[in-house]
């Protein structure tokens, strides 16, 4: 043996195994955890308040220990309480029981609605649980259970910890615990029985009392009285007598004319099924003495109607089907589709249409013809005729994703101006239509679009989003969406080519607070407006060319500039250019004669000899300023409006400017690109104010860059002299360069800053290439916006405080997520889930209102009480019924149970025999009103000396719960370890 042959070499390697076995190390680790958590010593605290287990805050700490290679998790559960004063601690004598033992007899928190199972069974405010870690097997064998219990007992004894320590045994689903609590000279053992089948003698109170007394084994002949608390729980599942108030929408009525097109502008709301699945009524007898009540296998005094306490909880249906949630979910699914519109509808269906619109030059030549553009009748048939014709060539009429009735209803809803039969009628009603484009008085709900980056709730984009959502859900899914979008794009081109403004869009430049699709439609409207004004100007000029009218053109130009500036403004604003090309001038009779009359055949000559120039393009006199050199009044010129821009164009422009770099050449080129508008305004200013200089322009255009100061002249008089600012005097200044190159050209004959034809074609192309998924991405903020407004509208009817808070959270969350161009799908799903949860809460409120007849109640006071009761049911886990079975809510609940008992038809024979033989119903005389209880809970308490007559009187407690498939006894039995 190696150890005997070399004794000296082993001297320093001796390990003392007497203090380091795996078991002792395990005990040591338990003690360390208890020390770390400061659970050593006497526990003190005030008696528990009523309901504190539900209203108070529970916290827990966790740690991990191991027994050899078997891991356990140790968790400390405790109720957060205010720290008690030290004086109270000192007052506790040596004979005082540990706090957990005192809690065993406390009756203030007998059946907490929400708590850890050990809290419900034993009434403890603090305890520690040792359970196998997540990946380890359950502790099933009896020897291992005893080993763990011994470890706990030794650890408690060594540390002096008075907090109960439990060990979880068997499989987790059984919730089996054994444990121990130690104090000075006392010990409480926590034991448990769990059975699937209930022994018949334990289904009633007398049998439970027998087992409790046997377990205590009290040697005293007159046994101290046992205090009893009983709770019977009845479950109501049958709501057949109350129809669920939410009816699914009638799909046929959407097109049949009963509901009309307005239905397309609204989102549906509410649950399709009852969101309340069960009502649980708990009838409680909190303080009963042993001899007062009889409950045995023959007879029972426990009549639910006579119970002093009633409490109710509702069980909510798991994920009830709700209309608004379904609409949002289905629309969101569109975002993940990959197909293009052509692939969905079949590319061949639109091949010929593509050929027709591909030849842009044909469209341009039509626009620039001198003849006035004829305005055809505007009708829904004209709008959709061409696309429908192409689809029908390749499919049967019935195969189209949308039938004519639905399509016409939607298009009339989106474009109400299409209902006017004649173009003249449309022109007459133009004022009312354009007035509708202006935003309504600002309020919080209306301005939500700026937070969500969606579109105003009265806009075409918003209505389109709602219609697409409806089509996607009810009328053909993604095919219907693709079809409607195809028709919408055709309608946009039709309006562009025929100068019809798009309704439902605010006037002016694109609103960058809205979604990109809305901006594109606004941009198209700007293009239509400019083109329409130009075409009207063209027709006006042709009517002016009567015999002899041409000879007076020169004089007429002078009249416009001086005598009637308003008229000049009207013509100048609309005649930005007659040409659709990039040419600077359009050679037509009127303009060439104007040029000759104004002496501007040669631009350079005109610039050098300003005296021969006649003023053009004046808007009105400035009023205050005079030209510096000629001393004439300064006129404000008619200028071109700056080009409207959508956010993608702005981004594109900023990228181009950034790519020019920081070199001198790049900076110069960047400045020239940015000064196109400045050059146009300078040319307009020169044309309106012949003989002007740069200082005149700066005084009007940028007053801060013209510095005036008082100086004393040679004669001693104070005069005001001005000069350009230092910024304007920098060598090779952009302003100076632009002024030198600018020619005196009025706005109507300048090259257009905004080429409406090109921009309109770009927008139409952008719309045409959008896939249904892209469209859904663009319009999802509008749908979320509409859903939030719908939820707010429905909540206002119900007035639920918790829902108000959730809606505020949804708005805050959505405004953060939707502000970015491509929000993450996960975050969008979270928003939709929040909206669905609010819809479910409101549906539950309506369900409960209907069941409790809140609206039918005539007594106002009772109605308010019922309303408060319903709201409490939504927000609290369990609600006490005021007046128990005799109060207004109690009597309604009683009727619900009575009706539920009467509704079922005659049961089958074997069912009837089984029911008639039911022991529970034979004992109760109330089977006609209440069904047999689903759950019976009994708590038995007493304080007796144990194990000997001369031992200290200690608390004993047993909790019993009996359900259809489960029977559990949880006992806490205390014993005196000093006098036994």
């Amino acid at each position: 043996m190696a150890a005997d042959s070399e004794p000296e070499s082993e001297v320093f390697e001796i390990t003392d195994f007497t203090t380091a076995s795996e078991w002792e190390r395990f005990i040591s680790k338990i003690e360390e955890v208890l020390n770390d958590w400061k659970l050593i010593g006497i526990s003190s605290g005030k008696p528990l308040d009523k309901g504190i287990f539900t209203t108070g805050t529970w916290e827990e700490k966790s740690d991990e220990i191991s027994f050899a290679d078997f891991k356990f998790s140790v968790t400390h559960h405790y109720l957060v309480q205010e720290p008690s004063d030290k004086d109270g601690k000192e007052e506790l004598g040596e004979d005082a029981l540990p706090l957990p033992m005192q809690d065993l007899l406390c009756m203030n928190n007998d059946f907490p609605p929400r708590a850890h199972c050990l809290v419900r069974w034993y009434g403890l405010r603090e305890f520690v649980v040792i359970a196998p870690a997540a990946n380890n097997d359950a502790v099933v064998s009896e020897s291992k259970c005893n080993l763990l219990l011994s470890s706990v007992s030794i650890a408690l004894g060594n540390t002096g910890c008075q907090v109960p320590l439990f060990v979880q045994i068997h499989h987790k689903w059984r919730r089996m615990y054994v444990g121990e609590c130690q104090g000075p000279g006392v010990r409480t053992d926590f034991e448990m029985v769990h059975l699937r089948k209930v022994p018949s003698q334990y289904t009633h109170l007398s049998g439970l009392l027998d087992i409790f007394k046997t377990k205590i084994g009290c040697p005293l002949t007159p046994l101290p009285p046992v205090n009893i608390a009983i709770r019977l729980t009845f479950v109501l599942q049958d709501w057949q007598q109350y129809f669920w108030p939410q009816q699914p929408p009638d799909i046929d009525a959407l097109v049949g004319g009963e509901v009309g097109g307005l239905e397309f502008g609204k989102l549906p709301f509410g649950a399709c099924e009852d969101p309340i699945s069960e009502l649980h009524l708990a009838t409680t007898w909190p303080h009963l003495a042993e001899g007062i009540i009889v409950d045995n296998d023959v007879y029972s005094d426990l009549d639910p109607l006579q119970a002093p306490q009633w409490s109710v909880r509702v069980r909510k249906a798991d994920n009830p089907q709700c209309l608004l949630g379904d609409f949002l979910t289905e629309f969101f699914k569109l975002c993940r589709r990959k197909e293009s519109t052509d692939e969905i509808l079949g590319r061949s269906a639109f091949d010929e249409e593509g050929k027709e619109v591909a030849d842009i030059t044909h469209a341009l030549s039509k626009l620039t013809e001198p003849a006035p553009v004829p305005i055809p009748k505007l009708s829904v048939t004209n709008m959709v005729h061409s696309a429908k014709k192409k689809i029908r060539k390749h499919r049967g009429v019935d195969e189209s994703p949308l039938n004519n009735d639905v399509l016409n209803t939607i298009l009339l809803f989106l474009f109400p101006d299409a209902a006017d039969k004649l173009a003249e009628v449309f022109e007459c009603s133009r004022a009312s239509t354009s007035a509708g484009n202006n935003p309504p008085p600002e309020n919080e709900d209306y301005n939500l679009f700026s937070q969500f980056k969606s579109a105003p709730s009265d806009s075409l984009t918003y209505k389109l989003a709602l219609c697409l959502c409806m089509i996607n859900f009810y009328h053909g899914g993604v095919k219907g969406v693709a079809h409607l979008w195809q028709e919408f794009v055709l309608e946009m081109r039709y309006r562009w080519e025929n100068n019809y403004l798009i309704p439902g869009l605010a006037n002016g430049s694109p609103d960058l607070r809205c979604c990109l699709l809305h901006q594109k439609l606004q941009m198209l409207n700007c293009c239509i407006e400019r083109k329409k004004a130009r075409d009207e100007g063209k027709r006006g000029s042709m009517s002016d060319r009567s015999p002899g009218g041409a000879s007076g053109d020169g004089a007429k130009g002078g009249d416009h500039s001086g005598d009637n500036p308003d008229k000049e403004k009207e013509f100048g604003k609309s005649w930005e250019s007659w040409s659709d090309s990039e040419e600077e001038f359009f050679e037509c009779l009127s303009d060439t004669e104007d040029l000759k009359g104004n002496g501007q055949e040669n631009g350079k000559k005109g610039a050098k000899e300003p005296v021969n120039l006649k003023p053009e393009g004046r808007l009105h006199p400035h009023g205050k300023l005079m030209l510096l050199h000629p001393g004439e009044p300064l006129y404000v010129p008619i200028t071109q409006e700056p080009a409207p821009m959508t956010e993608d164009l702005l981004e594109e422009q900023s990228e181009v400017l950034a790519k020019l770099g920081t070199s001198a050449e790049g900076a110069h080129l960047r400045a020239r690109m940015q000064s196109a508008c400045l050059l146009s305004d300078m040319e307009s200013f020169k044309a309106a104010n012949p003989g002007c200089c740069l200082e005149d322009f700066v005084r009007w255009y940028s007053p801060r860059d013209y510095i005036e100061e008082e100086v004393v002249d040679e004669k001693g008089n104070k005069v005001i002299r001005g000069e350009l600012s230092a910024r304007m005097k920098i060598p090779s200044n952009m302003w100076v360069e632009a002024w030198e190159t600018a020619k005196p050209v009025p706005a109507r004959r300048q090259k257009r800053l905004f080429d409406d034809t090109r921009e309109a074609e770009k927008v139409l192309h952008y719309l045409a290439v959008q896939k249904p998924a892209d469209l859904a991405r663009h319009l999802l903020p509008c749908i979320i916006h509409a859903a939030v407004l719908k939820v707010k509208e429905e909540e206002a009817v119900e007035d639920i405080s918790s829902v108000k808070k959730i809606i505020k959270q949804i708005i805050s969350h959505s405004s953060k997520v939707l502000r970015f161009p491509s929000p993450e799908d996960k975050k969008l799903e979270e928003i939709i889930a929040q909206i669905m949860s609010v819809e479910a809460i409101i549906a539950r409120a309506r369900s409960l209102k209907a069941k409790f007849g809140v609206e039918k109640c005539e007594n106002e006071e009772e109605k308010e009480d019922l309303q408060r009761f319903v709201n409490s049911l939504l927000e609290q886990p369990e609600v006490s019924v005021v007046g128990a079975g005799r109060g207004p809510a109690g009597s309604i609940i009683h009727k619900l149970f009575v009706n539920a008992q009467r509704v079922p038809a005659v049961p089958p024979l074997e069912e009837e025999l089984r029911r008639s033989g039911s022991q529970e119903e034979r004992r109760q005389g109330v089977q006609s009103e209440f069904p047999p209880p689903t759950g019976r809970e009994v708590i038995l308490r007493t304080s007796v000396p144990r194990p000997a007559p001369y031992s200290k009187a200690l608390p004993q407690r047993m909790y019993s719960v009996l359900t259809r498939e489960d029977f559990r006894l949880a006992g806490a039995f205390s014993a005196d370890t000093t006098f036994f």
Side-chain angles (χ1 to χ4, degrees), residues 757-778:
T757 308
R758 185 179 63 185
E759 292 301 328
E761 287 299 336
K762 281 167 69 176
V763 171
L764 289 168
H765 175 71
Y766 178 86
L767 297 179
V769 299
Q770 293 296 300
K771 297 178 181 178
D774 303 328
L775 192 59
R777 290 270 176 199
H778 282 305

Side-chain angles (χ1 to χ4, degrees), residues 65 94 137 271 381 387 438 467 602 647 941 957 975:
I65 59 174
E94 290 182 5
D137 298 329
T381 313
N438 295 326
C467 289
N602 186 337
E647 65 184 27
R941 300 183 193 84
R957 171 184 171 123

